[in-house]
PDB file of all heavy atoms in Angstrom:
ATOM      1  N   VAL Z 100     -26.885  -8.469   1.052  1.00 97.00           N
ATOM      2  CA  VAL Z 100     -26.657  -9.900   1.269  1.00 97.00           C
ATOM      3  C   VAL Z 100     -26.507 -10.610  -0.075  1.00 97.00           C
ATOM      4  O   VAL Z 100     -25.593 -11.420  -0.271  1.00 97.00           O
ATOM      5  CB  VAL Z 100     -27.799 -10.527   2.108  1.00 97.00           C
ATOM      6  CG1 VAL Z 100     -27.722 -12.044   2.088  1.00 97.00           C
ATOM      7  CG2 VAL Z 100     -27.754 -10.003   3.538  1.00 97.00           C
ATOM      8  N   ALA Z 101     -27.392 -10.301  -1.029  1.00 96.00           N
ATOM      9  CA  ALA Z 101     -27.321 -10.931  -2.353  1.00 96.00           C
ATOM     10  C   ALA Z 101     -26.024 -10.567  -3.065  1.00 96.00           C
ATOM     11  O   ALA Z 101     -25.378 -11.429  -3.674  1.00 96.00           O
ATOM     12  CB  ALA Z 101     -28.527 -10.525  -3.193  1.00 96.00           C
ATOM     13  N   ASN Z 102     -25.630  -9.293  -2.999  1.00 92.00           N
ATOM     14  CA  ASN Z 102     -24.371  -8.873  -3.621  1.00 92.00           C
ATOM     15  C   ASN Z 102     -23.192  -9.613  -3.006  1.00 92.00           C
ATOM     16  O   ASN Z 102     -22.295 -10.088  -3.721  1.00 92.00           O
ATOM     17  CB  ASN Z 102     -24.156  -7.369  -3.440  1.00 92.00           C
ATOM     18  CG  ASN Z 102     -25.124  -6.527  -4.227  1.00 92.00           C
ATOM     19  OD1 ASN Z 102     -25.848  -7.006  -5.078  1.00 92.00           O
ATOM     20  ND2 ASN Z 102     -25.151  -5.245  -3.918  1.00 92.00           N
ATOM     21  N   THR Z 103     -23.189  -9.684  -1.683  1.00 91.00           N
ATOM     22  CA  THR Z 103     -22.091 -10.343  -0.975  1.00 91.00           C
ATOM     23  C   THR Z 103     -22.039 -11.821  -1.317  1.00 91.00           C
ATOM     24  O   THR Z 103     -20.956 -12.375  -1.562  1.00 91.00           O
ATOM     25  CB  THR Z 103     -22.248 -10.141   0.548  1.00 91.00           C
ATOM     26  OG1 THR Z 103     -22.291  -8.733   0.813  1.00 91.00           O
ATOM     27  CG2 THR Z 103     -21.090 -10.756   1.313  1.00 91.00           C
ATOM     28  N   GLN Z 104     -23.195 -12.472  -1.365  1.00 94.00           N
ATOM     29  CA  GLN Z 104     -23.242 -13.893  -1.718  1.00 94.00           C
ATOM     30  C   GLN Z 104     -22.739 -14.109  -3.143  1.00 94.00           C
ATOM     31  O   GLN Z 104     -21.957 -15.023  -3.402  1.00 94.00           O
ATOM     32  CB  GLN Z 104     -24.667 -14.430  -1.581  1.00 94.00           C
ATOM     33  CG  GLN Z 104     -24.772 -15.919  -1.876  1.00 94.00           C
ATOM     34  CD  GLN Z 104     -24.012 -16.762  -0.881  1.00 94.00           C
ATOM     35  OE1 GLN Z 104     -24.176 -16.593   0.319  1.00 94.00           O
ATOM     36  NE2 GLN Z 104     -23.169 -17.653  -1.368  1.00 94.00           N
ATOM     37  N   GLY Z 105     -23.174 -13.250  -4.056  1.00 90.00           N
ATOM     38  CA  GLY Z 105     -22.720 -13.376  -5.441  1.00 90.00           C
ATOM     39  C   GLY Z 105     -21.225 -13.221  -5.568  1.00 90.00           C
ATOM     40  O   GLY Z 105     -20.556 -13.963  -6.293  1.00 90.00           O
ATOM     41  N   ASP Z 106     -20.666 -12.246  -4.848  1.00 88.00           N
ATOM     42  CA  ASP Z 106     -19.216 -12.047  -4.865  1.00 88.00           C
ATOM     43  C   ASP Z 106     -18.500 -13.248  -4.251  1.00 88.00           C
ATOM     44  O   ASP Z 106     -17.480 -13.706  -4.765  1.00 88.00           O
ATOM     45  CB  ASP Z 106     -18.827 -10.777  -4.117  1.00 88.00           C
ATOM     46  CG  ASP Z 106     -19.205  -9.510  -4.871  1.00 88.00           C
ATOM     47  OD1 ASP Z 106     -19.551  -9.592  -6.064  1.00 88.00           O
ATOM     48  OD2 ASP Z 106     -19.161  -8.433  -4.245  1.00 88.00           O
ATOM     49  N   GLY Z 107     -19.040 -13.746  -3.130  1.00 89.00           N
ATOM     50  CA  GLY Z 107     -18.436 -14.920  -2.488  1.00 89.00           C
ATOM     51  C   GLY Z 107     -18.463 -16.129  -3.401  1.00 89.00           C
ATOM     52  O   GLY Z 107     -17.483 -16.875  -3.500  1.00 89.00           O
ATOM     53  N   ASP Z 108     -19.582 -16.319  -4.083  1.00 92.00           N
ATOM     54  CA  ASP Z 108     -19.700 -17.449  -5.014  1.00 92.00           C
ATOM     55  C   ASP Z 108     -18.685 -17.345  -6.146  1.00 92.00           C
ATOM     56  O   ASP Z 108     -18.227 -18.356  -6.672  1.00 92.00           O
ATOM     57  CB  ASP Z 108     -21.114 -17.518  -5.606  1.00 92.00           C
ATOM     58  CG  ASP Z 108     -22.174 -17.905  -4.592  1.00 92.00           C
ATOM     59  OD1 ASP Z 108     -21.823 -18.354  -3.474  1.00 92.00           O
ATOM     60  OD2 ASP Z 108     -23.375 -17.738  -4.910  1.00 92.00           O
ATOM     61  N   ARG Z 109     -18.329 -16.147  -6.502  1.00 89.00           N
ATOM     62  CA  ARG Z 109     -17.379 -15.925  -7.594  1.00 89.00           C
ATOM     63  C   ARG Z 109     -15.932 -15.913  -7.099  1.00 89.00           C
ATOM     64  O   ARG Z 109     -14.999 -15.845  -7.879  1.00 89.00           O
ATOM     65  CB  ARG Z 109     -17.718 -14.618  -8.297  1.00 89.00           C
ATOM     66  CG  ARG Z 109     -17.094 -14.514  -9.658  1.00 89.00           C
ATOM     67  CD  ARG Z 109     -17.834 -13.592 -10.562  1.00 89.00           C
ATOM     68  NE  ARG Z 109     -17.193 -13.645 -11.872  1.00 89.00           N
ATOM     69  CZ  ARG Z 109     -17.281 -12.710 -12.774  1.00 89.00           C
ATOM     70  NH1 ARG Z 109     -18.001 -11.645 -12.542  1.00 89.00           N
ATOM     71  NH2 ARG Z 109     -16.659 -12.839 -13.933  1.00 89.00           N
ATOM     72  N   GLY Z 110     -15.745 -15.933  -5.776  1.00 87.00           N
ATOM     73  CA  GLY Z 110     -14.392 -15.988  -5.218  1.00 87.00           C
ATOM     74  C   GLY Z 110     -13.771 -14.647  -4.920  1.00 87.00           C
ATOM     75  O   GLY Z 110     -12.567 -14.559  -4.665  1.00 87.00           O
ATOM     76  N   VAL Z 111     -14.552 -13.578  -4.922  1.00 88.00           N
ATOM     77  CA  VAL Z 111     -14.028 -12.250  -4.621  1.00 88.00           C
ATOM     78  C   VAL Z 111     -13.548 -12.232  -3.171  1.00 88.00           C
ATOM     79  O   VAL Z 111     -14.225 -12.722  -2.278  1.00 88.00           O
ATOM     80  CB  VAL Z 111     -15.104 -11.163  -4.849  1.00 88.00           C
ATOM     81  CG1 VAL Z 111     -14.626  -9.808  -4.345  1.00 88.00           C
ATOM     82  CG2 VAL Z 111     -15.466 -11.088  -6.328  1.00 88.00           C
ATOM     83  N   PHE Z 112     -12.368 -11.640  -2.954  1.00 77.00           N
ATOM     84  CA  PHE Z 112     -11.825 -11.595  -1.599  1.00 77.00           C
ATOM     85  C   PHE Z 112     -11.283 -10.233  -1.214  1.00 77.00           C
ATOM     86  O   PHE Z 112     -10.651 -10.091  -0.184  1.00 77.00           O
ATOM     87  CB  PHE Z 112     -10.747 -12.662  -1.412  1.00 77.00           C
ATOM     88  CG  PHE Z 112      -9.617 -12.548  -2.392  1.00 77.00           C
ATOM     89  CD1 PHE Z 112      -8.512 -11.762  -2.128  1.00 77.00           C
ATOM     90  CD2 PHE Z 112      -9.672 -13.234  -3.592  1.00 77.00           C
ATOM     91  CE1 PHE Z 112      -7.474 -11.659  -3.031  1.00 77.00           C
ATOM     92  CE2 PHE Z 112      -8.627 -13.139  -4.502  1.00 77.00           C
ATOM     93  CZ  PHE Z 112      -7.536 -12.353  -4.219  1.00 77.00           C
ATOM     94  N   GLY Z 113     -11.503  -9.216  -1.996  1.00 74.00           N
ATOM     95  CA  GLY Z 113     -11.001  -7.891  -1.668  1.00 74.00           C
ATOM     96  C   GLY Z 113     -11.506  -6.859  -2.649  1.00 74.00           C
ATOM     97  O   GLY Z 113     -12.263  -7.190  -3.563  1.00 74.00           O
ATOM     98  N   ILE Z 114     -11.096  -5.612  -2.442  1.00 73.00           N
ATOM     99  CA  ILE Z 114     -11.505  -4.553  -3.357  1.00 73.00           C
ATOM    100  C   ILE Z 114     -10.290  -3.741  -3.778  1.00 73.00           C
ATOM    101  O   ILE Z 114      -9.339  -3.620  -3.007  1.00 73.00           O
ATOM    102  CB  ILE Z 114     -12.559  -3.610  -2.736  1.00 73.00           C
ATOM    103  CG1 ILE Z 114     -12.011  -2.926  -1.490  1.00 73.00           C
ATOM    104  CG2 ILE Z 114     -13.833  -4.333  -2.456  1.00 73.00           C
ATOM    105  CD1 ILE Z 114     -12.870  -1.790  -0.992  1.00 73.00           C
TER     106      ILE Z 114
END
Side-chain angles (χ1 to χ4, degrees):
V100 168
N102 291 349
T103 303
Q104 183 65 50
D106 288 348
D108 291 348
R109 198 155 184 202
V111 172
F112 57 89
I114 61 168

